[in-house]
Amino acid sequence: MAQAPAGSLRRWRASGQGSGDSGALVTSDLSPSGYNHSVYLTALKEDADGSGSVGAGRVDVDKDALMEQKAWEFAQSTVKQVGMYAFMMYMSGGSVHIFSIMMTFTGLYQPLMAIFNSGKAFERFKGAEGRVKTLGPRLLYCLIQLSGLGFALYKLANIGLLPTHISDWVSGVQVPVAREYSVRA
Amino acid sequence: MRVSGPRFGRRRPLGLSFAAALFFLLAWCEISTSGVLSIAVDEAGKNDWHREHVGLVHGAQFLPAYADPATNATMRSVAVLTEQAVVAVLNQRTGAIVWRKQLDGAAEVSAVAQSQLVTVSEAGKRVQSWDFRTGAMVWEARSEGTVGDLVTSEDGKLVGAVTDNELVVYDRAGEVQEAVAIAGKAKKGKTVSVEAAGTTFSVGRGSRADLASEFGFANGAATSATYRLDGSDYAAVVGYVDAKLVAMVVDLGTRAIVESQEYALDASERGTPREVFLTGYAKKGGSSAGFRLLLVSSDESLCLVQQGEVVWLREEALASITKTVVVDFPVSSEKVEAGGGLSGQATAQDRLGALVLGLKASLNFATREEVELLAKKKVEPAHFDPNGFNRQVLALTSSGKLFALHTSDGRVVWSKGLAGELRGDHVAMWVYSQDAAHGSPKIAIVSSGGSKANFVIVDGWTGAVLAAREVGTGSSHLVSLQPSGPSALQGALLVDFEASQALALAERPEDLSHFDLGSTFVYSVDDQGGAVSGYRASVPASGLSIGSPLPLTNLWTTNLAPGQTIVASAAPNFFQKVYSRTRVLGDRSALYKYTNPNTLFVAAEGKDSESGEKKLFSYLVDTVTGRMLYSIAHRDASGPCHVVFKENWVVYKYRSERGNRDEVSVLELYEDEPTKNQNSISAHLYDLVTKANQSSEVSSYSPTAIRVLGQSYVLSLPVKAMTVTSSALGITANQVLVATLSDQIYAIDKKLLDPRRPTQKPTNADKEEGLIPYNEFLPIAPQKFVTYTHQVAGLREINCWPTRRESSVVVLAHGTDVFYARMMPSKSFDMLEDDFSYSLLVTTIFGLLVATFVVYSMVQKDNLKRNWV
C-alpha cells in the first residue's frame, strides 16, 4: 500500500535531482502550476528512512502504537489456529489409534514449540530499535498456546495415555513368592 | 513375481505405484490373516498326532476272507477283544485297524456267523452283533442268564450263547430261535454236541493241551486253542528258547511238529508270551498247510508272525499309560536314536533334495504332490529343540514298560522294559535331576505294592536303570520336595501316615545334603472322613539318611461339617509362573491377586441340616495353617466334581440336581486390604516409592484378608476330566481343557469363566476391560474342540506342558489312544504363522531392491543431463 506512492515520488524526485541541486528546482520555470516546494521539503524530511511511507506519516498515527496493535492482533489470531487444531483433535476421537495419537502428540508438540519460539515470533513487532513493548501480546499468545496444550493433555488423558491411575503403576509390582512350601501327600 | 514383471518396463512414476501396490498387497494380507481362530483342513495333523490303539488283547477271532468294498481286494482280518473294552478288526497283512468300537464293558467272548461278529460284554449280559466288514451293529440283545461262551453252529450260520443251563440260539436278526436246556450235559473240559434250531452246536471248551512241557519249553510258554483245518486239529505253542522266540505248530492227532520257526523278537524287551492265537490256510496247489500266529506278549505288544517273519507289531502297552513326563532331547541325536528310531542314514543327496523341496514349499512354489512327499519324508530329528516343540514324552505303562515318544509324530524313539524293577502300583514319575549343561535328565519312578515300595532312577535318554532301591513301606503317599542344588535336584519323601513317619528317597546319599525340609509342610486329604490334616516332617539330630525314617508330627486337622464327604480337591502348582500381581479393571483401578499357592480347594457333598436337600460345599483351606479361608454352598448340587486351580482362580464342575444338568463355577481370589484397594493415586505412589505395603514374600502366618468373586454357568458338555493350560511365563491366556464323555477335548477360554462378567448392561468400563456380558450358558463352539474330528478312545487323563515359546502349550491326552496337540490359546503372538508367505516377503524385498537401483540410475542420468544443459 505504501509502495505505490513512494515509487512515484522517487521517480519524480530522481528526475528532479538529475538536473542539478534541489535549489535549481525551486527556481525552475518548469515547476508545475500550483507546485508548493515547502510541501515537498516536509515530505522529504518525513521520508528520512527512505521507506517512502509518506502518505502514512502524514496521517497523525504513532508508528510504535501501530506495531503494538499489530502484535496484539497477531497474538489474538492464534486463537483461531489453536481452536482449529483442538477441533481436529476432538474429531479424531478418543480411541487409541495411530491417527488420534499422532494428532494428540502434534497437539502437544506444537504449542510447546510455539511458546519456546514466541520471542522470535514477536521480534518483527519490536521495530528497529526494539522500542515497541511486546510483552503483553506475547503473554496472551503464550496463554492461548497453553490452552491448546491443556486441551491436548486433556485429550491424552482421555485416550488413557497419562499415568494418572493406579493401574499405570502396578505393572512393576513383583509377584511375591511363598515363604512356606506345602505339598500334598 | 508376476506382479513386478511388466511394471518395470514403464517409466519413473511407476516405481512409486509399484511400492504402493506392494504396500496394499501387504496390508491386504495382514487383514486377511487376522482373526483366524480354528485350524484349517490342511493344518490338521500338522501340530498334532493321534495314535490309535486297541489295548491288551485277551481274545481274538480270525475272520473269513471277504472282498473289501473300497478296493475289491480280498481282505483277511482278525477281530480282537481287549481289556480296554474295545472290539476291533485288524488287517492281517498290515495290522492296521479296520474298525473298532469302544464298549461300555469289556467284551469277554466272541463268535462269527456268516458276516456277523457276535460279542458278549457287561458280565455276560449284553449280546451284540456287528457286521465285521463295516463295524455296523446289526442287532443287540440282553441275555436272561449269564453268557459264559459263544458257539457257532456246524454250518456256520447261527450263533448260540451258552449260559449256565441253556443254549440260546440267535438268528441273523438277533431273535431267539430256540433255547435248549443243557444242564447236566456239559462237563468241564469236555465238548458236547447239542442239536438246536436244525443244526448242531458243540458246547463246552476242550481243555488246552499242555504242549509246553511236552515239547521242551521252559516256564512262560503259551499254547493256543485248538484250531481245526481240513479235518485235523492243530495247536500252537510259543515260548522263548535261548532268548529266541520259537513257535511250534503241533498236529494234536499225531503229536507231530508240523512247523517250527524262530522269530527275531527279543525276550528282554517283549517278556514271555501271554496269549497265542492260531489260524491256518491251505497253501496254493499243495496239500500242506501254512500257519499264522497272533501273539500277545507280556509287554502287551501284539504281533502277527508267519513263516519265520514278524509281519507286524503293535505296541498296545501304550493303551494303558499310567504316568507321563516330558524331557528334552540331547544336543546330538545319536544317543537316543541308537535304539532304533530313524531307519537308515540319509545320503547327502537326499538331504540336499529335501532342503530344496523344503525351500520350495516355504516359498509356495511346490506342487501339491511335492508337499505331500515332503510331509512323508520329513521326520523331525531327535535332538534338542530350542523352541521346546520337539521333545520326548516318557510314558510309563501299566505293564512296566517305559516308552519315549517323539512329540512331532508320536513315534516310539526307544522303549525299555522295567517290569522287573517296578511294583504293581505306579505312584509317581518325575524328573529327579536335570543337568544344567544339557546332560541327560534323571527320571525317578516310585512304585508300591505289598508292604514295600521301589524307587528307581532311570536315564531320561536311554531308559537305563541307574539306581534301584527298595523302601520299607507300602505307602503310596509321595511328597515331592522343592528342587534345589545346581542340577535342580528334586527329592521326595514317602509318607506313611499310619506309622507317622516319612522316608527320604534319593539316588545317592550325598544327594540328601541338597534336600530342603526347612519350611516344608505336608498335608493329606481324607475324602471319606471329610478332613484335611497338616503334618511336618522333622529331621532327626543325626541328619538325613537313606532308609531311616523321619518322625511326622500332626500340626492341625480341619474337619468339615459331619456327614460331608470330599468329592474333589485341588491346589495350584507351587512352581507355577504368575506374570502379573494385579488385575486391572475397566475403571483403571487394580485388584491384587491372592497368589499364595498354599491354598487348597475342597468340594464336599453333604445334606442341609434342616431341609435335608443335597448340597455341594466349596471350601478354601490354607494348607500351612489349616485355616479356613472361605466357604460357599451350592443348593441342590452334588458330585461328581472336577476342579482346576491356577494362580488365583478355581474352576469346578458339579451336577445341579434341580436343573438336572452340569454346572461350572469359578471363584477368583483377591486380597482385600484397604491399603491396596484404595483408589488414591498419590497414596499408591507413596507406597510404591517407599515400598510400604509391598512385600516380596507371602506367608500363611501373616494372612491377608481375602475377597472372593464368583459366578456360575451351565455347561452343556458331559465332563469326565478337567485340566488347565500353563505357559512358560504365564502371559498367555489360560484355557480350561475339558475331557468329554464322547472322548473329545474341549477348550474353554478363561475369559468366559470370569466372575466379573457383567449381568447388567455392560458399562463403558466393562467394555474397556473386555468383559463378555453374562450368559448362564457357556457357548459351545465346534472350533474349540482341541481334538477336532478325532475321538481319543477311552480318554482318561489330559496333561499340559509349556514350551519355550510363550505362546505355545502342548497337550497330551491318553486313554486307549494317545493324542498330542500344540495349542496357542492367545494365538501366535511371538512367532510367524505357519502359512506366513515367505515368497511375498522375498518378492517385496527383491522388488524394492531392484526399484532402488533403477531409480538411482535414473536420477544419476537426470543429474548428468541437467549439468550439461
Side-chain angles (χ1 to χ4, degrees), chain B residues 550-567:
Chain B
L550 284 72
L552 208 66
T553 332
N554 188 343
L555 297 177
W556 50 265
T557 297
T558 301
N559 287 304
L560 308 182
Q564 292 187 7
T565 52
I566 295 173
V567 286

Side-chain angles (χ1 to χ4, degrees), chain B residues 702-716:
Chain B
S702 54
T704 53
I706 174 172
R707 182 197 293 180
V708 179
L709 309 178
Q711 217 167 50
S712 296
Y713 316 89
V714 177
L715 181 65
S716 43

